[in-house]
């Protein structure tokens, strides 16, 4: 099978009439027609074998995750997904792999009405780069720079499950089979919080998605906003899948592992955001409307830096660094 048969077979579908896509796969460019007056939100994320995923990962999960991490960036900006491109480097044409990968990708794309409009396909080490395009009303995108002293800090969903699964897959710890299966779902099939992101427009003062770990990612918001924060680790420690630590060997996971996974775990693809206390009701309504749980985990403070406290309000000393590809 040649390059063009491969594209036609696995990565081409008719354009949805009436959508923002005026021209899809097949020409030199795709054409997008966002609603008049809307701003385009654009983001790229690359997944590299051996770096972001294991060589033997289920291709369907990989197709899901490659698009999910990109949709997560649109969610973090409060944008509505429109379309995406797929640049794919493949060692060989493996139809079983392509069928699985494309199935995972199409399922998530369809769930969000996001259409594949083009890309590039080449031979080489397995490498997947997706660029997403979304739309957002002018001035309403959620940015990292809007957090103000006194704002509440929230995260959506759960924290640390993906890292817990990764540690188990790397052989660093042992999890009961059912816990590994569940946390592995979070690692391999993250849920982009697209509906929540849009529901938070006009409510959150800042937002971002969590890819490299809560503390490191949050410090990007703090830096961009020129503020500091205090985080309650008694609350964040409870956001790891409850049964994961209650039923693991010895009855519970060690607090240090829970803190490491929840605070600096990475691969959560949850939203972290801030909002003034006056918006607590509106945040709860946005969480409800989007069917996404959110938890208040701390407070933005004027004094720069990130402080951690335990349940008794005592400082937690350890610095939990986040994942950095070059360290
Ligand atoms: P060009 O050489 O003009 O860049 P290509 O021959 O690489 O175009 O690709 C032909 C068409 O197929 C283009 O419309 C391109 O966007 C699309 N395409 C290539 N690879 C992919 C892919 N992996 N997924 C979706 N569309 C793709
Ligand atoms: Mg090309």
């Amino acid at each position: 099978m040649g390059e063009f048969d491969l594209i036609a077979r696995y990565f081409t579908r008719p354009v949805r009439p009436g959508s923002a896509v005026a021209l899809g796969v097949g020409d030199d460019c795709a054409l997008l027609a966002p609603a008049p007056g809307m701003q385009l939100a654009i983001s790229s994320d690359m997944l590299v074998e051996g770096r972001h995923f294991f060589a033997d990962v289920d291709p369907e999960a990989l197709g899901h995750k490659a698009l999910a991490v990109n949709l997560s960036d649109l969610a973090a900006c409060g944008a509505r997904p429109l379309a995406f491109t797929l640049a794919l480097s493949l060692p060989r044409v493996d139809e079983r792999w392509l069928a699985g990968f494309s199935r995972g990708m199409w399922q998530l794309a369809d769930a969000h009405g996001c259409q594949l409009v083009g890309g590039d396909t080449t031979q080489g080490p397995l490498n997947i780069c997706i660029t997403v395009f979304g739309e957002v009303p002018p001035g309403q995108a959620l940015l990292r720079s809007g957090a103000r002293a006194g704002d509440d800090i929230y995260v959506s969903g759960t924290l640390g499950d993906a890292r817990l699964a990764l540690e188990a897959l790397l052989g660093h710890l042992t999890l009961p089979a059912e816990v590994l299966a569940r946390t592995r779902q979070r690692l391999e099939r993250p849920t982009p919080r697209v509906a929540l992101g849009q529901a938070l427009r006009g409510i959150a003062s800042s937002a971002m998605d969590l890819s490299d770990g809560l503390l490191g990612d949050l410090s990007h918001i703090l830096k961009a906003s020129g503020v500091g924060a205090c985080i309650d680790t008694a609350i964040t420690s409870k956001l790891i899948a409850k049964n994961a630590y209650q039923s693991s060997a010895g009855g519970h996971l060690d607090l240090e592992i829970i803190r490491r996974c929840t605070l600096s775990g990475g691969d959560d693809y949850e939203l972290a955001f801030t909002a003034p206390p006056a918006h607590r009701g509106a945040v709860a309504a946005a969480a409800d409307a989007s069917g996404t749980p959110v938890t208040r985990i701390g407070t933005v403070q004027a004094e720069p830096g990130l402080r951690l406290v335990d349940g008794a309000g005592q400082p937690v000393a350890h610095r939990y660094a986040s994942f950095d590809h070059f360290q």
Side-chain angles (χ1 to χ4, degrees), residues 88-221:
L88 202 53
S89 164
L90 297 170
R92 74 198 80 82
V93 177
D94 174 344
E95 292 217 53
R96 200 192 63 84
W97 189 93
L98 281 161
F101 178 86
S102 57
R103 201 180 321 120
M105 181 195 75
W106 289 125
Q107 268 170 17
L108 187 65
D110 290 347
H112 292 280
C114 191
Q115 300 180 76
L116 177 61
V117 294
D120 201 19
T121 307
T122 171
Q123 193 184 25
L126 184 54
N127 189 331
I128 303 152
C129 183
I130 287 181
T131 299
V132 278
F133 303 86
E135 64 179 14
V136 62
Q140 287 194 39
L142 304 174
L143 307 181
R144 298 179 178 188
S145 50
R148 296 294 170 257
D151 283 357
D152 296 319
I153 303 174
Y154 299 84
V155 292
S156 65
T158 65
L159 288 177
D161 297 336
R163 180 55 177 265
L164 193 60
L166 180 65
E167 295 291 332
L169 292 173
L170 291 171
H172 297 167
L173 52 83
T174 310
L175 295 173
E178 84 278 6
V179 175
L180 177 59
R182 215 153 41 78
T183 53
R184 192 172 179 166
Q185 276 290 108
R186 300 283 296 138
L187 174 68
E188 295 181 352
R189 290 178 175 266
T191 306
R193 303 299 190 182
V194 174
L196 176 65
Q198 289 171 78
L200 288 171
R201 293 200 300 232
I203 296 169
S205 52
S206 73
M208 71 178 299
D209 69 319
L210 298 178
S211 52
D212 297 333
L214 174 68
L215 298 189
D217 284 337
L218 197 57
S219 62
H220 296 308
I221 285 186

Side-chain angles (χ1 to χ4, degrees), residues 52 63 78 83 99-100 134 136-137 161 182 201 211 245 260 263 268-269 292 321:
H52 301 96
V136 62
D161 297 336
R182 215 153 41 78
R201 293 200 300 232
S211 52
Y245 63 88
R260 218 170 337 117
L263 297 176
D268 291 312
Y269 297 101
T292 312

